[in-house]
Amino acid sequence: MLGGISIWQLLIVLGIIILVFGTKKLRNVGGDLGGAVKGFKKAMNDGEKAENDKEEDAAQQRVAHDETGKTYDVKAETKTQEPDERK
C-alpha cells in the first residue's frame, strides 16, 4: 500500500496527533495552509496575466516603417506645433 503503512496505522497516528494538538489548532493549521495555497494560485495567475500584458505591449510598440524608410514608434504621440515666439 503506502510503503508498508496500513490504514489502521494511519488512523492511530491521526488519533495521536489530534490528542497532542487538539482539533482547534489543527483547524487553524488547515485554514492557514488553505490560505497559502489560494495565495500561491492567485500569484501564479497574476504572473501569467502580467506576462501576457507585456507581450501585448511589446507587439504594440513594434517599430513600423513609412514610405521614406524612416522608423517611428506606433504608440508615440505627436507633439503639437507651438508657435515660435522668439524675436
Side-chain angles (χ1 to χ4, degrees):
M1 199 184 237
L2 296 171
I5 299 174
S6 70
I7 189 74
W8 293 109
Q9 291 170 334
L10 289 174
L11 289 174
I12 291 171
V13 170
L14 180 63
I16 292 171
I17 290 173
I18 289 174
L19 286 173
V20 170
F21 294 109
T23 57
K24 186 174 182 181
K25 181 110 175 164
L26 289 176
R27 191 177 322 126
N28 290 341
V29 169
D32 292 342
L33 182 63
V37 170
K38 282 182 184 178
F40 179 75
K41 286 183 180 179
K42 183 178 184 232
M44 291 296 292
N45 288 337
D46 290 345
E48 289 175 2
K49 287 179 185 176
E51 186 176 307
N52 290 340
D53 290 344
K54 286 181 184 177
E55 289 175 3
E56 289 176 8
D57 287 345
Q60 290 177 354
Q61 291 179 353
R62 287 197 180 104
V63 177
H65 296 276
D66 65 3
E67 297 82 29
T68 61
K70 296 180 181 176
T71 60
Y72 62 94
D73 189 357
V74 176
K75 288 183 73 175
E77 297 179 15
T78 58
K79 184 177 178 182
T80 57
Q81 296 282 338
E82 296 179 12
D84 192 15
E85 295 183 17
R86 286 187 241 162
K87 291 185 180 182

